[in-house]
Amino acid sequence: MNTHKTLRAFTKLAIGTALAMGLAGATLSAAQTKTDVSLGIVLEPPHLDPTAGAAAAIDEVTYANVFEGLTRIGPNGEVLPALAKSWEISEDGLTYTFRLQDDVRFHDGTDFNAEDVKFSLDRARSADSTNAQKPLFEAIESVEVVAPDTVQVVLSRPVGGFLFNLGWGDAVIVAPESANSNKTQPVGTGPFAFDRWVKGQEISLKRFEDYWGEPAALEAAQFKIIADPNAAFAAMMSGDVDAFPNFPAPETLMQFETDPRFTVSVGSTEGETILAMNNANGPLANALVRQAISHAINKQALIEGAMFGRGTPIGSHFAPHHPAYTDLTGTYPFDPDKAKELLAEAGFADGFTATLKLPPPQYARRGGELIRSDLQKVGIELEIVPLEWAQWLTEVFREKNYDFTIVSHTEPMDIGIYARDDYYFNYDNPEFKELISALNAETDKEKRYDLMRQAQEMITADAVNVFLFQLGKTGVWNAELEGLWENAPIQANDITKVHWKN
């Protein structure tokens, strides 16, 4: 039964205050008895194994709900205990001893213990690992089982953010019995177990009754795949979905804000939205060309046109809400004439042609047209190539077969990706790599912040990419629903605390 549709039909028949009051009570009663939730998501994940894929859509379904790590990242970006209930760190910062939670079981009934931790971390750091964030585990020298409830991790060098790294979706703990089938039949230790996946439509989870921790309030959850913004709006208005944590149609938010049936939540994310450039491809190998492109794009017009004003300009690959953020938005002010001068200086006075490969999100598709128009005015002709998400991961992310692309990097504190060998930007700066190595080894907070500021300044000076805006997190949900995150310090739709009022 669709509660909202039924109540609206009854409301049309209301002829007096008493009846209206009765219907208000019926609304509350319906909310009290509801035990599941349906959430809209824009992108269908390519699979459901967070340890074997870079797509944010995987974590949006599974993080904290199905899979858990030793630590987890909370709604304010803090590091919290998860499968590890406590830990001790040696004075030299090299040895971490984790005490594990008691009486934990995987969804298939097998027991969780220190052997599973060793298996998961060794698997993630192995030579043949398919983990998309393998560098997170690069400093691990050994993982030893001390007791069934105790595991010791020894690092080759201090890693200031190691506990934070273990809270990523890529670091969740899996079992050897089920690891190879997690892409289609995920088995974790979380408060929800996988139920079914109807491709192109929805992914269903059900409450795991043998969960080791606080049980979920919800009995079930459906993640409905709705890519089209108009369809997302219609689904919310009709009650076909209860919540859209990352609502894709910001132009319609005013209608929800004036409707008491809904809560509109505007928060921040870790999503640095960039015009990524292949630094090894043709003209883009020239820093002057990349600087010219940075001057040629009107970021504020892009935010207004593609995001309906909901986005924060950025000047580097760093979240504005972080205390180490440096405002570099003035480095490349919108200046088409300056862009033409730099292109001429680089030997491209007549411009050039290139491809712009766009993944499905609306910020990319809408933004791509605006960026093509801006670059056309300085002599750069772009051919737009729309890609499905799986195609983008293959052609752009893995094969680096592209000139330009637009994407939001939603991983937390990920400026270190610019130091990776063979990453899809093809940026290679030994000085930056040394800077990130120093950051990884530093444990003092203020010294870490200073290194982060230097890193921001360096990639901005090199114009590795065009840093467009910080993706806002705009959520819309039923006003009777509580427990969804306002901000997104990690790419997740954590429903472990979600419940209906009263």
Side-chain angles (χ1 to χ4, degrees):
M1 174 179 174
N2 187 313
T3 303
H4 300 303
K5 287 182 178 178
T6 303
L7 291 177
R8 285 200 301 274
F10 286 162
T11 301
K12 290 180 181 180
L13 300 175
I15 57 174
T17 304
L19 181 56
M21 291 175 63
L23 287 173
T27 303
L28 181 58
S29 174
Q32 287 175 326
T33 59
K34 190 162 184 178
T35 58
D36 69 329
V37 70
S38 59
L39 291 88
I41 56 174
V42 174
L43 297 175
E44 182 169 28
H47 58 76
L48 295 174
D49 183 359
T51 70
I58 301 171
D59 282 355
E60 287 180 2
V61 174
T62 65
Y63 185 84
N65 302 323
V66 176
F67 290 105
E68 299 174 301
L70 290 175
T71 64
R72 62 167 293 181
I73 298 171
N76 298 311
E78 70 274 34
V79 176
L80 301 172
L83 289 175
K85 61 183 176 183
S86 64
W87 49 81
E88 295 177 0
I89 308 172
S90 62
E91 289 187 8
D92 61 7
L94 295 178
T95 302
Y96 288 70
T97 303
F98 295 95
R99 290 292 304 277
L100 307 180
Q101 302 284 0
D102 302 318
D103 300 321
V104 180
R105 289 179 177 80
F106 285 93
H107 299 150
D108 60 1
T110 57
D111 290 336
F112 158 83
N113 55 41
E115 293 286 354
D116 296 304
V117 176
K118 176 175 172 57
F119 167 78
S120 298
L121 295 181
D122 284 347
R123 175 174 176 259
R125 69 192 184 96
S126 68
D128 59 351
S129 170
T130 58
N131 195 295
Q133 301 296 339
K134 190 175 177 180
L136 293 176
F137 314 98
E138 179 269 331
I140 296 177
E141 189 171 273
S142 66
V143 184
E144 300 299 332
V145 173
V146 178
D149 67 344
T150 308
V151 65
Q152 191 173 81
V153 180
V154 178
L155 306 182
S156 59
R157 53 178 172 76
V159 177
F162 187 61
L163 292 173
F164 189 88
N165 293 349
L166 291 179
W168 283 43
D170 308 83
V172 297
I173 303 303
V174 298
E177 297 89 345
S178 51
N180 291 334
S181 58
N182 278 336
K183 286 187 175 182
T184 56
Q185 295 288 328
V187 174
T189 60
F192 290 92
F194 173 73
D195 184 18
R196 66 188 183 118
W197 184 356
V198 181
K199 292 292 181 73
Q201 297 181 41
E202 70 176 38
I203 300 165
S204 298
L205 308 180
K206 58 186 177 182
R207 185 167 63 197
F208 181 46
E209 301 300 340
D210 290 330
Y211 181 58
W212 61 268
E214 181 182 346
L218 298 169
E219 293 181 2
Q222 300 85 40
F223 292 81
K224 296 188 176 184
I225 300 146
I226 307 174
D228 180 70
N230 293 326
F233 174 77
M236 280 301 310
M237 277 294 182
S238 68
D240 286 342
V241 295
D242 301 309
F244 227 116
N246 294 284
F247 189 64
E251 67 275 20
T252 66
L253 285 176
M254 187 175 296
Q255 295 179 63
F256 292 107
E257 289 171 335
T258 57
D259 190 328
R261 294 177 300 154
F262 301 103
T263 294
V264 175
S265 172
V266 179
S268 63
T269 75
E270 289 288 328
E272 290 83 25
T273 306
I274 61 174
L275 174 66
M277 297 183 278
N278 190 336
N279 283 220
N281 252 22
L284 297 179
N286 189 320
L288 290 175
V289 172
R290 300 195 302 269
Q291 291 169 358
I293 292 165
S294 296
H295 278 296
I297 294 172
N298 188 335
K299 295 181 183 179
Q300 192 56 50
L302 182 70
I303 293 170
E304 295 295 333
M307 302 303 297
F308 299 89
R310 298 182 185 266
T312 303
I314 53 175
S316 193
H317 197 108
F318 215 77
H321 55 256
H322 195 282
Y325 174 72
T326 299
D327 186 356
L328 299 170
T329 53
T331 306
Y332 301 106
F334 176 54
D335 189 342
D337 291 335
K338 179 67 174 178
K340 291 176 182 178
E341 290 177 14
L342 289 169
L343 285 172
E345 185 179 347
F348 295 94
D350 295 328
F352 58 91
T353 61
T355 60
L356 173 59
K357 295 190 173 182
L358 299 176
Q362 289 301 310
Y363 66 76
R365 298 288 171 90
R366 290 169 176 162
E369 295 291 346
L370 296 171
I371 286 174
R372 176 167 66 176
S373 176
D374 280 345
L375 293 189
Q376 189 176 45
K377 294 171 184 174
V378 299
I380 300 172
E381 296 289 341
L382 295 183
E383 176 194 357
I384 289 181
V385 181
L387 300 176
E388 292 306 310
W389 194 246
Q391 292 176 295
W392 186 93
L393 288 170
T394 297
E395 292 187 27
V396 177
F397 188 75
R398 286 193 284 270
E399 297 178 355
K400 297 177 283 295
N401 177 22
Y402 80 106
D403 297 314
F404 296 93
T405 190
I406 301 174
V407 69
S408 279
H409 278 256
T410 55
E411 297 83 3
M413 187 55 65
D414 63 343
I415 196 168
I417 58 179
Y418 288 77
R420 294 185 187 176
D421 292 329
D422 204 33
Y423 198 64
Y424 82 100
F425 305 148
N426 278 322
Y427 174 60
D428 186 9
N429 184 337
E431 187 179 351
F432 186 82
K433 291 178 180 178
E434 291 178 7
L435 189 62
I436 294 300
S437 294
L439 173 63
N440 290 339
E442 183 58 64
T443 57
D444 180 82
K445 183 178 74 172
E446 292 306 322
K447 290 179 180 178
R448 283 177 58 81
Y449 285 179
D450 181 60
L451 290 167
M452 291 175 192
R453 295 183 187 102
Q454 292 180 48
Q456 293 170 64
E457 292 167 356
M458 191 175 295
I459 60 173
T460 298
D462 287 343
V464 183
N465 296 310
V466 182
F467 307 105
L468 301 173
F469 57 85
Q470 195 73 8
L471 195 65
K473 182 183 184 300
T474 304
V476 180
W477 49 79
N478 188 303
E480 296 295 323
L481 201 60
E482 294 183 326
L484 288 161
W485 286 11
E486 177 179 335
N487 300 314
I490 194 166
Q491 48 200 27
N493 290 317
D494 183 343
I495 57 171
T496 59
K497 304 295 183 185
V498 172
H499 61 277
W500 293 93
K501 288 183 181 179
N502 302 308

